[in-house]
Amino acid sequence: MVSSLNSWFTIPEDSDFSIYNLPFGIYSDENVKHHVCSAIGDYIIDLYELESADVFDINRSVFDKQFLNDFIELGKPITNKVREKLQNLLCDSNSVLKTNESLYNHVFKKQSAVKMLMPVKVGDYTDFYSSIDHATNVGTMFRDPANALLPNWKHLPVGYHGRASSICVSGHSFHRPQGQQKPADADLPVYGLSKLLDIELETAFIIGKSTEMGDSITTANAQEHIFGMVLFNDWSARDIQTWEYVPLGPFLAKNFASTISPWVVTIEALEPFRVKGYEQEPKLLPYLQYQGNKNIDINLEVYLTPQGGTENKICTSNYKYMYYTMEQQLAHHTVNGCNVNVGDMMASGTISGPQAHEYGSMLELTWRGTKPIKLNDGTERKFVNDNDTITIKGFCQKDEVRVGFGECTATLLPAK
Amino acid sequence: MVSSLNSWFTIPEDSDFSIYNLPFGIYSDENVKHHVCSAIGDYIIDLYELESADVFDINRSVFDKQFLNDFIELGKPITNKVREKLQNLLCDSNSVLKTNESLYNHVFKKQSAVKMLMPVKVGDYTDFYSSIDHATNVGTMFRDPANALLPNWKHLPVGYHGRASSICVSGHSFHRPQGQQKPADADLPVYGLSKLLDIELETAFIIGKSTEMGDSITTANAQEHIFGMVLFNDWSARDIQTWEYVPLGPFLAKNFASTISPWVVTIEALEPFRVKGYEQEPKLLPYLQYQGNKNIDINLEVYLTPQGGTENKICTSNYKYMYYTMEQQLAHHTVNGCNVNVGDMMASGTISGPQAHEYGSMLELTWRGTKPIKLNDGTERKFVNDNDTITIKGFCQKDEVRVGFGECTATLLPAK
């Protein structure tokens, strides 16, 4: 990637999908069941149609798939070449993509006219807990402000396995979950609607290269195994969670629904936005140490839109607040020989910053409901109401270069 | 299924694979990449070859698959009919299977001459914690004997998500995991081999019918969604677990390897062995209540075989000791609308009985290493040693009728 690129294609200045981005996704429309695509400005780029012109020199059937997994399986030497070639085609005014009108017309489609599908088939999904501000806030609220972080927290990136089946692509809706809870003042648990339905502002990375059982990934070679990133909302039912999670962790409080954004932004596109990681004290064991700038400056925002209303920005955070990097998470996850597969998804955990408006969950933003959020329609929220829509946005910006994720949005419907 | 069946095929009297069983699996040999098969006596029955005679009246390509998932997707009305038809063919002395010599020779193969493969592609894997004796033992050892069970334990079947990628079929071996631990007398964690490598005697059930997000399964209709059962060893690194598991549950302590038996014994084959469930006090919330005999009398055994040595039975337990039934586990898992898919696997949690020889883990059998197990070669074990092989066996027996699971076996190799 060169530092300054000009495309002959019209790209709005504030577009997430600049010439520097070129993420990958899967779309459908009335004529297409599922094709691999990229994005530029307000358009998608149908890579299956584009490959009818043999520009990438690969078997185009890999672009006619329900998921990106087979494409990712080709390996970075090939997938990166596809992305770079696409960039060249979009910058070269004499490229076949510009000069062949029929090709042009088949390849570009308005994003607003297509439906984005789940980008990957997630084999295993892991959720980490790697934001120090989030872990401190939760520990302060539920345990002990003086010992908010548990003894292991600064020694390893705490993580747990989540449910892959209920991960949905942005644009879906789901019903408020029900289940067993125990109100603080009750002797016995009750069955009922979750009243404390929360969001968790997260990102996730998609595994780009598999390993065998018994193999470990080091922090140094982790990037080879990271294909790209998405935005992620780890919906959480706090009342169900409080009662169920001891001693084996969250279960029904999380597995009713999760939302991911449709575009996988490659780790290569995010490279220019790398920043220094968190100062980690005490020093970590050698297998978790790393060299270089491994955090990423990704602006993150959360919006709440009531039914028929307008959007309210309720949180502004940043991925750079993460205590542990993706490289450390992956090294930890595989230090015991656990194998990973292409398409596996590993989420960050709630990303909170140090300031109160940077908290990545309503639990923290409203401090357990004690400081409700005032919306622009005059109503208040302690947690998510029925028919509220939550949208996460994310983008990197450095000088003139912008690389964004689009949106990760979902609507909470009333209980079934 | 009739109460007394006679097959013309020779079946050893103590065979797990009686005419009443007819489980499903996937095998390969030098000529076959992967075919669906059943088992009878010492033989497998190649269902793809058998269907060349059109006995089941279904598209035989469903038997030429890497996993059982597509077959299971056909639904119980069809899969049960296949099993019943197979039973008829094996009982009818005039059946084409007996009279057509060429067919016979293609269909039956010695079990010892084929390799059994992973029976299903596991989408999501959940592990429960539903044996009251196990939970009590662990709570007594690690927390407080007076309050061994946590407050939620008798109100819901505690469960958590596990890693699907590292589930292997019986017969594999794997390396002793390494990772971060904190010795009790140390100020800081250390990196090293897991020294407390343990087994967990479990069974698991395979989902036979999918649901949509938002749907719940009741205890009354749960059996429709349960295809069958397998034996399961949930290998656990206790030293890694102790340090990592607070507050989000076991992670690296479990995800390095798990072992399942290759034959899925249908829930219909297990029906004759249903027994009364555990007396559940306090009374459960209505969504967890059920009618009828929903426990199952399955004899379970664990054997330890040192390298070059002979087998030592180290545990004799029974599935009937489970406090929560599979129907309750499934109703709980989906009460919040969590969707399940064909091939998902839900494990019981360690199955311990009330007596000391019935404990389903070495942690309990040796009471945290304080009472080592003496082996027939004169050595002792507190936990699993390098090159030890662990084998779980399971079978139901009632009068003359025996239905068994075969073996679930794996060998621990030294660290890589």
Side-chain angles (χ1 to χ4, degrees):
Chain A
M1 299 276 153
V2 293
S3 58
S4 179
L5 293 169
N6 284 301
S7 175
W8 48 262
F9 196 86
T10 306
I11 306 164
E13 206 169 300
D14 62 346
S15 177
D16 279 355
F17 306 110
S18 70
I19 188 68
Y20 300 96
N21 191 349
L22 302 178
F24 293 101
I26 305 283
Y27 87 96
S28 75
D29 66 12
E30 53 192 0
N31 300 312
V32 170
K33 193 172 172 198
H34 40 57
H35 281 175
V36 173
C37 60
S38 186
I40 187 82
D42 297 333
Y43 289 77
I44 68 107
I45 304 168
D46 184 322
L47 298 182
Y48 181 77
E49 291 297 337
L50 178 52
E51 191 53 3
S52 68
D54 248 338
V55 295
F56 302 124
D57 195 27
I58 60 176
N59 186 333
R60 73 194 278 236
S61 68
V62 78
F63 294 131
D64 182 22
K65 300 280 181 181
Q66 191 182 350
F67 299 108
L68 289 173
N69 298 49
D70 288 346
F71 175 64
I72 298 173
E73 288 273 9
L74 294 177
K76 284 208 185 195
I78 291 174
T79 58
N80 282 345
K81 222 178 81 184
V82 166
R83 190 166 152 269
E84 285 158 22
K85 177 72 186 179
L86 186 59
Q87 203 170 50
N88 293 341
L89 291 169
L90 288 163
C91 290
D92 175 4
S93 297
N94 297 314
S95 78
V96 63
L97 182 54
K98 186 169 187 217
T99 57
N100 182 331
E101 196 181 322
S102 163
L103 187 68
Y104 183 103
N105 289 333
H106 279 89
V107 164
F108 292 103
K109 296 183 180 183
K110 269 274 202 190
Q111 284 185 30
S112 55
V114 305
K115 188 177 175 204
M116 295 302 297
L117 308 179
M118 268 295 284
V120 289
K121 173 73 182 170
V122 177
D124 278 292
Y125 148 49
T126 298
D127 195 24
F128 285 94
Y129 183 57
S130 291
S131 151
I132 192 166
D133 293 300
H134 172 67
T136 304
N137 287 339
V138 171
T140 300
M141 271 186 270
F142 289 100
R143 286 184 297 268
D144 173 9
N147 296 289
L149 293 180
L150 288 165
N152 58 13
W153 202 92
K154 284 196 169 179
H155 294 283
L156 54 83
V158 170
Y160 65 107
H161 298 295
R163 180 108 191 147
S165 73
S166 51
I167 301 172
C168 299
V169 73
S170 180
H172 75 110
S173 56
F174 63 95
H175 294 275
R176 180 181 291 272
Q178 314 186 48
Q180 192 173 139
Q181 308 142 41
K182 191 167 152 309
D185 55 355
D187 287 335
L188 289 172
V190 298
Y191 173 87
L193 296 182
S194 168
K195 293 184 191 72
L196 313 184
L197 207 288
D198 200 0
I199 58 164
E200 292 198 338
L201 164 62
E202 305 197 13
T203 61
F205 64 94
I206 306 296
I207 293 294
K209 185 179 169 186
S210 304
T211 60
E212 297 291 323
M213 264 176 70
D215 290 345
S216 300
I217 296 171
T218 64
T219 56
N221 70 12
Q223 189 160 335
E224 286 176 39
H225 296 268
I226 300 174
F227 181 74
M229 291 178 76
V230 293
L231 303 173
F232 186 64
N233 188 349
D234 181 24
W235 297 90
S236 299
R238 300 299 179 194
D239 31 20
I240 294 172
Q241 187 173 352
T242 307
W243 174 232
E244 76 170 359
Y245 92 103
V246 176
L248 299 179
F251 182 49
L252 301 189
K254 304 272 193 175
N255 65 15
F256 56 90
S258 316
T259 311
I260 74 169
S261 56
W263 294 106
V264 184
V265 177
T266 66
I267 199 75
E268 287 73 20
L270 296 168
E271 214 42 47
F273 310 99
R274 290 276 193 187
V275 292
K276 197 168 174 311
Y278 219 99
E279 204 65 55
Q280 295 174 322
E281 267 298 323
K283 208 174 162 187
L284 292 161
L285 285 168
Y287 81 94
L288 288 172
Q289 295 174 16
Y290 67 93
Q291 303 293 320
N293 290 339
K294 289 295 177 193
N295 229 328
I296 310 182
D297 183 355
I298 309 175
N299 301 287
L300 298 167
E301 302 168 336
V302 183
Y303 295 84
L304 187 156
T305 308
Q307 190 174 28
T310 55
E311 68 179 21
N312 299 260
K313 190 196 280 193
I314 61 172
C315 163
T316 307
S317 188
N318 195 302
Y319 184 77
K320 73 183 177 193
Y321 294 136
M322 294 282 288
Y323 190 86
Y324 290 104
T325 68
M326 291 182 278
E327 289 77 2
Q328 290 179 310
Q329 291 170 338
L330 199 42
H332 184 63
H333 202 316
T334 60
V335 70
N336 66 343
C338 177
N339 58 327
V340 298
N341 289 311
V342 163
D344 287 350
M345 195 183 94
M346 303 196 177
S348 57
T350 309
I351 303 169
S352 294
Q355 298 188 66
H357 70 277
E358 295 174 319
Y359 296 167
S361 67
M362 294 182 77
L363 177 74
E364 296 163 84
L365 288 166
T366 72
W367 208 254
R368 221 175 172 175
T370 59
K371 301 173 181 175
I373 298 168
K374 287 185 185 24
L375 303 187
N376 55 25
D377 66 1
T379 62
E380 289 187 340
R381 291 291 183 282
K382 294 178 179 175
F383 287 93
V384 185
N385 279 9
D386 286 351
N387 302 306
D388 283 349
T389 296
I390 298 289
T391 302
I392 300 176
K393 301 179 188 179
F395 64 96
C396 305
Q397 179 92 43
K398 193 176 176 186
D399 306 326
E400 302 299 292
V401 178
R402 184 178 166 112
V403 169
F405 287 80
E407 295 187 356
C408 171
T409 189
T411 301
L412 175 65
L413 301 175
K416 225 174 174 175
Chain B
M1 299 275 152
V2 293
S3 58
S4 181
L5 293 169
N6 283 302
S7 175
W8 49 262
F9 196 87
T10 306
I11 306 165
E13 207 170 299
D14 62 346
S15 177
D16 280 354
F17 306 110
S18 69
I19 188 69
Y20 300 96
N21 191 349
L22 302 178
F24 293 101
I26 304 283
Y27 87 95
S28 76
D29 67 11
E30 53 191 1
N31 300 313
V32 171
K33 194 172 172 197
H34 40 57
H35 281 175
V36 173
C37 60
S38 186
I40 188 82
D42 297 333
Y43 289 78
I44 67 108
I45 305 169
D46 183 322
L47 297 182
Y48 181 78
E49 291 297 337
L50 179 51
E51 190 52 4
S52 67
D54 247 338
V55 295
F56 303 123
D57 195 25
I58 62 176
N59 186 333
R60 73 194 277 238
S61 68
V62 79
F63 293 132
D64 181 21
K65 301 280 182 182
Q66 192 182 350
F67 299 108
L68 290 173
N69 297 51
D70 289 345
F71 174 65
I72 298 173
E73 287 274 9
L74 296 176
K76 285 207 185 195
I78 292 173
T79 57
N80 281 346
K81 222 178 82 185
V82 166
R83 190 167 153 269
E84 284 157 22
K85 177 71 187 179
L86 185 59
Q87 203 170 50
N88 293 342
L89 291 168
L90 288 163
C91 290
D92 174 4
S93 296
N94 298 312
S95 79
V96 63
L97 183 53
K98 185 167 187 216
T99 57
N100 182 332
E101 196 181 322
S102 163
L103 187 69
Y104 183 103
N105 289 334
H106 280 89
V107 163
F108 292 103
K109 297 183 179 181
K110 269 274 201 190
Q111 285 185 28
S112 56
V114 305
K115 186 177 176 203
M116 295 303 296
L117 307 180
M118 267 295 284
V120 289
K121 172 75 182 169
V122 177
D124 278 292
Y125 149 50
T126 298
D127 195 24
F128 285 94
Y129 184 58
S130 292
S131 152
I132 193 166
D133 293 299
H134 172 66
T136 303
N137 287 340
V138 172
T140 299
M141 271 186 269
F142 289 101
R143 287 183 297 267
D144 174 9
N147 296 288
L149 293 180
L150 288 166
N152 58 13
W153 201 91
K154 284 195 170 180
H155 294 283
L156 53 82
V158 170
Y160 65 107
H161 298 295
R163 179 110 192 146
S165 73
S166 50
I167 302 172
C168 299
V169 73
S170 181
H172 74 110
S173 56
F174 62 97
H175 295 275
R176 180 181 293 272
Q178 314 187 47
Q180 193 173 139
Q181 308 143 41
K182 190 168 153 309
D185 55 355
D187 289 334
L188 289 171
V190 298
Y191 173 86
L193 297 182
S194 168
K195 293 184 190 71
L196 313 184
L197 208 289
D198 201 0
I199 57 163
E200 292 198 339
L201 164 61
E202 305 197 12
T203 61
F205 64 94
I206 306 295
I207 293 294
K209 185 179 170 187
S210 304
T211 61
E212 296 291 324
M213 264 176 68
D215 291 345
S216 299
I217 296 170
T218 64
T219 55
N221 70 12
Q223 190 161 336
E224 287 176 39
H225 295 269
I226 301 173
F227 181 75
M229 292 178 75
V230 293
L231 304 173
F232 186 65
N233 188 349
D234 180 24
W235 296 90
S236 300
R238 299 299 180 195
D239 31 19
I240 294 173
Q241 187 173 353
T242 307
W243 174 231
E244 75 170 359
Y245 92 104
V246 177
L248 299 179
F251 181 50
L252 301 190
K254 304 272 194 176
N255 65 15
F256 56 91
S258 316
T259 312
I260 73 170
S261 56
W263 295 106
V264 185
V265 177
T266 66
I267 198 75
E268 287 73 20
L270 296 168
E271 213 44 44
F273 310 99
R274 290 276 193 186
V275 292
K276 197 167 174 307
Y278 219 99
E279 203 66 55
Q280 296 175 321
E281 267 297 324
K283 208 175 162 185
L284 292 161
L285 285 167
Y287 82 94
L288 288 171
Q289 294 174 18
Y290 67 93
Q291 303 292 320
N293 289 338
K294 289 296 178 192
N295 229 327
I296 310 182
D297 182 355
I298 308 174
N299 301 287
L300 298 167
E301 301 168 337
V302 182
Y303 296 84
L304 188 155
T305 309
Q307 189 174 28
T310 55
E311 67 179 21
N312 299 262
K313 191 196 280 194
I314 62 172
C315 163
T316 307
S317 187
N318 196 301
Y319 184 78
K320 73 182 177 193
Y321 293 135
M322 293 282 287
Y323 189 86
Y324 291 104
T325 67
M326 290 182 278
E327 289 78 3
Q328 291 179 310
Q329 291 170 338
L330 199 42
H332 183 63
H333 202 315
T334 60
V335 69
N336 67 343
C338 177
N339 58 327
V340 298
N341 289 311
V342 163
D344 288 350
M345 195 183 95
M346 302 193 179
S348 57
T350 309
I351 303 169
S352 293
Q355 297 187 66
H357 70 277
E358 296 174 317
Y359 297 165
S361 67
M362 294 182 78
L363 177 72
E364 296 164 84
L365 287 166
T366 71
W367 208 255
R368 221 176 172 175
T370 59
K371 300 173 182 174
I373 298 168
K374 286 187 186 23
L375 303 186
N376 54 25
D377 65 2
T379 64
E380 290 188 340
R381 291 291 183 280
K382 295 178 179 176
F383 288 92
V384 184
N385 279 9
D386 286 351
N387 302 306
D388 283 350
T389 295
I390 297 290
T391 301
I392 300 175
K393 302 179 188 179
F395 63 96
C396 304
Q397 180 93 43
K398 194 177 176 185
D399 305 327
E400 302 298 292
V401 178
R402 183 179 166 113
V403 168
F405 287 80
E407 294 187 357
C408 171
T409 189
T411 301
L412 175 66
L413 301 176
K416 223 173 174 176

